[in-house]
Amino acid sequence: MHADRAYEELIRRMREETLLASCEALLEWDEETYMPPGGVENRSEQLALIAGLLHDRGSDPRLGELLAAVEGSDLLADPLSPAAVNVRELRREYDREVRLPRKLVEQVARTTALAQKAWARARADSDFTAFAPWLQKIVELKRAEAECVGYADEPYDALLEDHEPGMTTRNLSRLFNALRKELVGLSERIIESGRGPRRWPRRTFPINRQRSFGETMATAVGFDPARGRFDLGVHPCCTGIGPGDCRIILRFDPADLAQGLLTILHEVGHAFYEQGLDPAHYGTPMGEAASVGMDEAQARLWENRVGRSRGFWAHFFPQARERFPQALRGVSVEEFYFAINQVRPTLIRVNADEVTYNLHTLVRFELERALLAEDLKPADLPEAWNAAYHRYLGIEPKNDREGCLQDGHWADGLIGYFPTYTLGDVFGAQLFTQAEKELGELDRHFERGDFRELTKWLGRKVYQQGARHPSARLIEVITGSPPDHRPLVRMLKAKYSALYDL
Amino acid sequence: MHADRAYEELIRRMREETLLASCEALLEWDEETYMPPGGVENRSEQLALIAGLLHDRGSDPRLGELLAAVEGSDLLADPLSPAAVNVRELRREYDREVRLPRKLVEQVARTTALAQKAWARARADSDFTAFAPWLQKIVELKRAEAECVGYADEPYDALLEDHEPGMTTRNLSRLFNALRKELVGLSERIIESGRGPRRWPRRTFPINRQRSFGETMATAVGFDPARGRFDLGVHPCCTGIGPGDCRIILRFDPADLAQGLLTILHEVGHAFYEQGLDPAHYGTPMGEAASVGMDEAQARLWENRVGRSRGFWAHFFPQARERFPQALRGVSVEEFYFAINQVRPTLIRVNADEVTYNLHTLVRFELERALLAEDLKPADLPEAWNAAYHRYLGIEPKNDREGCLQDGHWADGLIGYFPTYTLGDVFGAQLFTQAEKELGELDRHFERGDFRELTKWLGRKVYQQGARHPSARLIEVITGSPPDHRPLVRMLKAKYSALYDL
């Protein structure tokens, strides 16, 4: 078979797979937004079918033949050419898929679709025992997956690889240990300072108005509403359905303006990546995010480096005050800025400040690693959870709802995913530091409502690169340094030392 | 191969096909409700892919082998058993699919997804010339489809068969000619009577309140909101995503309460069929509607026989007056009843009264038949359309927007579909006449808010039968008579003679 022809067929097949996966994305989005309760059984069957079809296609021996016909050909002479990148990534995915039996893939899809509903009920009732059998089953399925795929050191490696290609549990663990020490220290110093923002009376921010302000803000920073949309749901997220169709699910709390707006910025960060990928490469790795961690980096960067910055609010606070004249009466921009940057140990990850946030994800990393290694029994999770919170955050949940049932990731089969949030924060800080080196102090840009220089820079450096480099290498190409927790720590220390007068 | 084993595999394959088709249904529902404008290209690719996959599966030679192994076996001894019905229908579908090249199927899916947007733009601009090339292409594709599938008398037969198995253009034409004569005569006598409802001042019915009243009404007549939902869109329709998930798209006009409510009842009629199918047979013909016409029969029955009845409004009008105290001030139930049953020739099908409605569909039947037979060039459609409206309704559209661009069916590739509306009205009247024979005068039931006897009867006689009989035969089994326009004509004559004092 001629290499050019084989490559053409590979591309055609990859595009079809992506299209099929984009149907799956819509099914999942719909499940989170509009599906009636009665639809859950059928939805789990639909998702299982598509997962099975994707698996059949992803492990089709024909792919192996085509890959063999292309590999070693002149077409791939330049290892950073689109063809070489696409073939490299497809080889990785193919080698993984052929090791997974279709039955297991379908079982995971079906089980997790049902487990999500069971988790939602268990969470509402704050009853871990109702969810425990599902967790047991999911951990077993994911362990089976790891065993099929294979790993060097521990089963967790195999799952991590699915979200963060090239990353090992050992390296991650080293990076995270260093980071944890710093974060625990910093948050303790902040608490000990006894300082904090002035508390203003509890006031109400009507959800409709939060939503409309949030959407205006998203559009002002560059989100294209003709190529995406916003909906309400229980779990905020960003789903790319395809080029020109990127959807954000939002959640608002009438008592908490900052939370809703920072969530929008987080999801908009994801959306920028999605909307900024090269459409000419759609359906192939060159038109996809480098990794989940790199995707989270965009989200965390927009949420924390932009959305919690002084410059951002210098620009947007006057508008916020116009929209919420009652609730923000007598609040200065400086007070608002301090309030949205208040640091205190809390129980719920998604509401955490940026200093303690990563301690939440590191708890999950530790526990899911133990679950998978059979060092922790699913039934014993609440106890281990509470102990870990006590250890790193000095507080303990009163019940499972604000403890180990708070996140739906495990119900969704996402084990090996939580680390990508922290990795995202680490990458995001590295990227931001580099962007400031090249563009000057970005707070000045934000102050005058200019976000375009930053998005253009990210577009050039990150979005348009697709999966040309694995994430750790991409960070090195852009910043000159491998993954490194120090830029994040440096930024946090500088910001919070000033704010809390440490 | 053993017949039992072959049948089992057939069922498994049918169920998978249905699941895949239900993913397609969600893609289409989403396109009508929430998809952002930028998503249209990708959506057409998604739909083309699924259409192609469905075609591959539906024409897989393995199906031919399995069918051959089952046909003639004892398993099918009783021709009305679920196995025999499923095999009969699958054979019909398989024989159709194998005759269609995949390329054509994908082309139809892709072209119609794009043509719908072109139609919407052309309609907004009232510019048929912008849509003409799309119509040309679609007619060509559908003619190609008819040629591949084959037909006895004319290409239209092949398309009609897809919606109304067992029905021929010739038989339909005879039925429709008889009906048209009666309807033209009746509507002329009504107009000549010079009578009509009192006109009350134009008032506003806020859309949100219409929607909430409509949903309450739908639930009161038996729609299960836990197994379905309502959304707003441009084209009202009912989409079954699967058991427990049946979605209705609504449209409201603030100046016209009746229109919005009758639309809900129409779609609820579809939904009852969908929600009333036997879930044990889901994914096989025994768990599907007998035909599109039988499905329309449910919709037209609920819209016209129930929603335009005196008893229905005797029950609901007091509630309506509570919800719209301003707009319905000084309006009696009798006046309201006359107003929603006013007969007058109008230009827009979906707003037509029940006497002239079928003249609208018969125009489309005549024209699409001519288009397909090459007796009418797509470019000449507006002229032919206007002439037909003049002939049967005595009025003519001033522009294409209120003329041949008003419906999106042809853009959607639906040729051979319009007759099912009228067939539905004919079937619906036959069913209703029979239901009254067995249950007594239904207006009395409606008056006291009892719709359960009717839905139970329909459930037993129609919904739970699935595709056991072709539609014309099912009508005969239930009513003792083949398809017959006279019950509809009788009902309309009785109702409108009284109302207009003819």
Side-chain angles (χ1 to χ4, degrees):
Chain A
M1 202 178 339
H2 196 282
D4 285 342
R5 289 251 301 284
Y7 182 68
E8 231 171 76
E9 189 181 334
L10 272 179
I11 291 286
R12 192 179 56 66
R13 283 169 174 263
M14 270 190 252
R15 292 217 155 111
E16 277 202 12
E17 262 194 70
T18 305
L19 265 182
L20 202 52
S22 77
C23 298
E24 193 182 32
L26 185 74
L27 290 166
E28 287 168 343
W29 171 85
D30 179 72
E31 189 170 2
E32 294 289 326
T33 49
Y34 297 110
M35 187 185 77
V40 61
E41 292 280 343
N42 191 59
R43 185 55 42 90
S44 75
E45 293 300 323
Q46 291 174 312
L47 288 169
L49 174 67
I50 302 231
L53 289 176
L54 281 171
H55 176 64
D56 281 354
R57 290 169 160 245
S59 59
D60 187 338
R62 176 73 182 162
L63 284 188
E65 290 166 31
L66 294 167
L67 284 169
V70 177
E71 282 163 342
S73 79
D74 288 350
L75 197 63
L76 314 187
D78 171 5
L80 294 181
S81 69
V85 170
N86 287 337
V87 168
R88 179 196 81 210
E89 286 301 301
L90 189 58
R91 162 61 72 190
R92 196 178 54 74
E93 289 161 19
Y94 176 71
D95 286 350
R96 184 181 181 91
E97 286 294 333
V98 292
R99 295 193 186 116
L100 291 170
R102 175 173 176 161
K103 211 166 181 153
L104 179 61
V105 171
E106 287 183 336
Q107 246 181 317
V108 169
R110 196 177 290 116
T111 305
T112 55
L114 296 171
Q116 282 173 69
K117 298 290 153 183
W119 162 75
R121 274 192 306 274
R123 177 171 174 261
D125 301 342
S126 193
D127 175 15
F128 177 76
T129 55
F131 180 61
W134 289 99
L135 182 61
Q136 174 84 37
K137 193 159 183 186
I138 286 168
V139 170
E140 277 164 20
L141 287 169
K142 297 304 280 190
R143 198 181 296 123
E145 197 179 304
E147 293 302 333
C148 291
V149 171
Y151 47 84
D153 289 338
E154 54 179 303
Y156 196 83
D157 282 327
L159 303 186
L160 183 62
E161 172 75 15
D162 201 22
H163 307 297
E164 208 56 38
M167 188 63 70
T168 65
T169 313
R170 190 184 303 182
N171 285 343
L172 204 60
S173 195
R174 197 162 2 187
L175 182 73
F176 285 180
N177 282 337
L179 179 63
R180 189 174 46 230
K181 249 179 247 148
E182 297 278 6
L183 293 178
V184 168
L186 177 59
S187 70
E188 281 174 2
R189 282 203 306 287
I190 291 173
I191 306 308
E192 283 159 14
S193 80
R195 292 191 191 83
R198 172 171 86 89
R199 297 187 64 165
W200 64 77
R202 207 174 164 79
R203 288 163 182 171
T204 300
F205 302 86
I207 285 185
N208 279 346
R209 227 177 292 172
Q210 283 195 51
R211 183 176 175 181
S212 109
F213 181 52
E215 294 186 18
T216 307
M217 203 177 73
T219 310
V221 300
F223 179 83
D224 180 355
R227 300 195 299 138
R229 54 175 291 118
F230 298 93
D231 295 275
L232 296 183
V234 179
H235 313 293
C237 73
C238 174
T239 306
I241 308 290
D245 190 352
C246 173
R247 306 193 182 186
I248 287 177
I249 298 180
L250 296 173
R251 175 172 65 183
F252 295 97
D253 174 351
D256 192 345
L257 176 66
Q259 200 54 52
L261 298 181
L262 290 171
T263 299
I264 295 192
L265 286 172
H266 179 101
E267 303 307 339
V268 161
H270 284 303
F272 282 159
Y273 204 172
E274 191 67 39
Q275 295 186 331
L277 294 166
D278 187 345
H281 288 300
Y282 176 66
T284 71
M286 274 300 291
E288 282 162 15
S291 77
V292 175
M294 190 54 72
D295 210 341
E296 283 304 328
Q298 310 314 311
R300 303 286 299 162
L301 185 154
W302 282 89
E303 177 185 352
N304 293 325
R305 301 280 73 73
V306 182
R308 293 191 205 261
S309 73
R310 202 173 243 122
F312 184 88
W313 288 105
H315 180 70
F316 280 107
F317 191 71
Q319 297 177 35
R321 212 156 27 191
E322 269 174 42
R323 298 278 188 132
F324 307 97
Q326 298 278 321
L328 292 178
R329 195 172 39 201
V331 178
S332 72
V333 60
E334 196 52 38
E335 284 172 321
F336 186 80
Y337 172 69
F338 200 172
I340 65 168
N341 283 300
Q342 181 175 19
V343 175
R344 55 180 166 185
T346 52
L347 292 166
I348 304 294
R349 176 182 62 87
V350 296
N351 297 337
D353 60 82
E354 63 173 325
V355 175
T356 59
Y357 179 88
N358 289 305
L359 297 174
H360 292 260
T361 60
L362 297 182
V363 165
R364 289 151 180 77
F365 168 56
E366 191 174 305
L367 295 175
E368 64 183 15
R369 196 177 163 192
L371 282 168
L372 211 67
E374 300 196 75
D375 291 338
L376 172 63
K377 279 191 230 136
D380 297 337
L381 177 68
E383 203 181 324
W385 181 285
N386 297 356
Y389 264 74
H390 185 77
R391 201 156 56 243
Y392 301 130
L393 285 140
I395 52 174
E396 258 187 68
K398 287 189 303 293
N399 55 50
D400 298 334
R401 187 190 163 95
E402 56 181 35
C404 65
L405 285 178
Q406 67 182 267
D407 288 318
H409 296 60
W410 292 336
D412 203 13
L414 291 174
I415 297 181
Y417 189 100
F418 279 115
T420 65
Y421 292 124
T422 296
L423 209 50
D425 243 2
V426 168
F427 290 164
Q430 289 185 272
L431 290 173
F432 198 82
T433 304
Q434 184 64 27
E436 290 210 305
K437 265 190 208 152
E438 299 182 24
L439 305 173
E441 201 186 341
L442 286 165
D443 223 39
R444 295 288 84 78
H445 292 60
F446 304 161
E447 225 174 74
R448 56 176 192 266
D450 175 5
F451 302 93
R452 219 174 125 56
E453 287 300 303
L454 176 60
T455 44
K456 269 169 60 188
W457 187 88
L458 288 167
R460 215 164 52 234
K461 299 283 180 175
V462 181
Y463 313 157
Q464 279 155 46
Q465 299 305 314
R468 193 187 300 272
H469 306 285
S471 60
R473 175 70 193 141
L474 179 59
I475 283 295
E476 199 170 347
V477 168
I478 301 173
T479 69
S481 152
D484 183 352
H485 67 291
R486 287 170 301 178
L488 176 61
V489 171
R490 243 190 323 264
M491 284 181 148
L492 293 177
K493 279 188 177 164
K495 177 174 175 180
Y496 290 93
S497 295
L499 206 51
Y500 279 87
D501 206 6
L502 302 182
Chain B
M1 201 178 337
H2 196 282
D4 285 341
R5 289 252 300 284
Y7 182 67
E8 231 171 76
E9 188 180 333
L10 271 179
I11 291 285
R12 193 177 56 66
R13 283 169 174 264
M14 269 191 255
R15 291 217 155 112
E16 278 202 11
E17 263 193 70
T18 305
L19 266 182
L20 201 52
S22 77
C23 298
E24 193 182 30
L26 186 74
L27 290 166
E28 286 168 344
W29 171 85
D30 179 73
E31 188 171 2
E32 293 290 327
T33 50
Y34 297 111
M35 187 185 78
V40 62
E41 292 280 344
N42 192 57
R43 184 55 43 89
S44 74
E45 293 300 323
Q46 291 173 311
L47 288 169
L49 175 67
I50 302 232
L53 288 176
L54 280 170
H55 176 63
D56 281 354
R57 290 168 160 246
S59 59
D60 187 337
R62 175 74 184 162
L63 284 188
E65 290 167 31
L66 295 167
L67 283 168
V70 177
E71 283 163 341
S73 80
D74 288 350
L75 196 65
L76 313 187
D78 172 4
L80 295 182
S81 68
V85 170
N86 287 337
V87 169
R88 178 195 82 209
E89 287 300 301
L90 189 57
R91 162 60 72 189
R92 196 178 56 73
E93 289 161 19
Y94 176 71
D95 286 352
R96 186 181 182 91
E97 286 294 334
V98 291
R99 294 194 186 115
L100 292 171
R102 175 171 177 163
K103 210 165 181 154
L104 179 60
V105 171
E106 287 184 336
Q107 245 181 320
V108 169
R110 195 176 291 118
T111 305
T112 55
L114 297 172
Q116 282 173 68
K117 298 290 153 181
W119 163 75
R121 273 193 305 273
R123 178 170 174 262
D125 301 343
S126 192
D127 175 15
F128 177 76
T129 54
F131 180 61
W134 289 99
L135 182 61
Q136 173 85 38
K137 192 159 183 186
I138 286 168
V139 170
E140 278 164 20
L141 288 169
K142 297 304 280 189
R143 199 181 296 125
E145 196 178 304
E147 293 302 333
C148 291
V149 172
Y151 48 83
D153 289 340
E154 54 180 299
Y156 197 81
D157 281 327
L159 302 187
L160 182 62
E161 172 77 14
D162 201 22
H163 308 297
E164 208 58 35
M167 189 61 73
T168 64
T169 312
R170 191 185 301 182
N171 284 343
L172 203 61
S173 192
R174 199 163 4 190
L175 182 75
F176 285 179
N177 281 336
L179 179 64
R180 187 172 48 228
K181 252 182 240 142
E182 296 278 6
L183 294 178
V184 169
L186 178 59
S187 71
E188 280 174 2
R189 283 204 306 288
I190 291 173
I191 306 309
E192 281 160 16
S193 79
R195 292 190 191 84
R198 173 171 86 88
R199 298 187 61 166
W200 64 77
R202 206 175 166 79
R203 287 163 184 170
T204 300
F205 302 86
I207 285 185
N208 279 345
R209 227 180 290 173
Q210 282 196 53
R211 184 176 175 181
S212 108
F213 181 53
E215 293 186 18
T216 308
M217 201 177 76
T219 310
V221 301
F223 180 83
D224 181 355
R227 302 195 300 138
R229 54 174 291 118
F230 297 95
D231 295 276
L232 297 182
V234 178
H235 314 294
C237 72
C238 173
T239 307
I241 308 290
D245 190 353
C246 173
R247 308 193 181 187
I248 288 178
I249 298 180
L250 296 172
R251 176 174 62 184
F252 295 97
D253 173 351
D256 191 345
L257 175 66
Q259 199 55 51
L261 298 181
L262 290 170
T263 300
I264 294 192
L265 286 170
H266 179 101
E267 304 307 340
V268 160
H270 284 304
F272 282 159
Y273 203 172
E274 191 67 38
Q275 294 185 332
L277 294 166
D278 187 346
H281 288 302
Y282 176 66
T284 71
M286 273 303 290
E288 282 162 17
S291 75
V292 175
M294 191 53 73
D295 209 341
E296 283 304 328
Q298 310 312 312
R300 302 286 298 162
L301 186 156
W302 282 89
E303 176 185 351
N304 293 325
R305 301 281 73 72
V306 183
R308 293 191 204 259
S309 74
R310 200 174 246 121
F312 184 87
W313 288 105
H315 180 70
F316 280 106
F317 192 69
Q319 297 177 35
R321 214 157 25 191
E322 270 174 42
R323 299 274 190 135
F324 306 98
Q326 298 278 322
L328 291 178
R329 194 171 39 201
V331 178
S332 72
V333 60
E334 196 51 39
E335 283 173 321
F336 186 80
Y337 172 69
F338 201 171
I340 65 166
N341 283 300
Q342 179 175 21
V343 175
R344 55 181 166 182
T346 52
L347 291 165
I348 304 294
R349 177 182 63 85
V350 296
N351 296 338
D353 60 83
E354 60 172 330
V355 176
T356 59
Y357 179 87
N358 289 305
L359 298 174
H360 291 259
T361 60
L362 297 182
V363 165
R364 288 151 180 77
F365 169 56
E366 192 175 304
L367 295 175
E368 64 184 14
R369 197 176 163 193
L371 281 169
L372 210 67
E374 302 197 75
D375 290 338
L376 172 64
K377 280 192 225 131
D380 297 337
L381 177 68
E383 203 180 326
W385 180 284
N386 297 356
Y389 264 74
H390 185 77
R391 201 156 58 241
Y392 300 130
L393 286 141
I395 51 174
E396 258 186 67
K398 287 188 303 294
N399 55 51
D400 297 333
R401 186 190 161 97
E402 57 181 36
C404 64
L405 284 178
Q406 68 182 265
D407 289 318
H409 296 59
W410 292 335
D412 204 13
L414 291 174
I415 296 180
Y417 189 101
F418 279 114
T420 65
Y421 292 124
T422 294
L423 209 50
D425 241 2
V426 167
F427 289 165
Q430 288 185 272
L431 291 173
F432 197 82
T433 302
Q434 184 64 28
E436 292 211 304
K437 266 191 208 153
E438 300 181 23
L439 305 174
E441 202 186 340
L442 287 165
D443 223 39
R444 297 286 84 79
H445 293 58
F446 303 160
E447 227 174 72
R448 57 176 191 266
D450 175 7
F451 302 93
R452 219 175 124 59
E453 286 300 303
L454 176 59
T455 44
K456 269 169 59 187
W457 187 89
L458 288 168
R460 214 164 53 237
K461 299 283 181 174
V462 181
Y463 312 158
Q464 280 156 44
Q465 300 305 314
R468 193 187 298 273
H469 305 285
S471 60
R473 174 72 193 141
L474 179 59
I475 281 296
E476 201 170 347
V477 168
I478 300 173
T479 70
S481 152
D484 183 351
H485 67 292
R486 287 169 304 181
L488 176 60
V489 170
R490 248 192 318 267
M491 286 182 147
L492 293 177
K493 277 186 177 165
K495 176 174 176 180
Y496 289 93
S497 294
L499 204 52
Y500 279 88
D501 206 8
L502 301 181

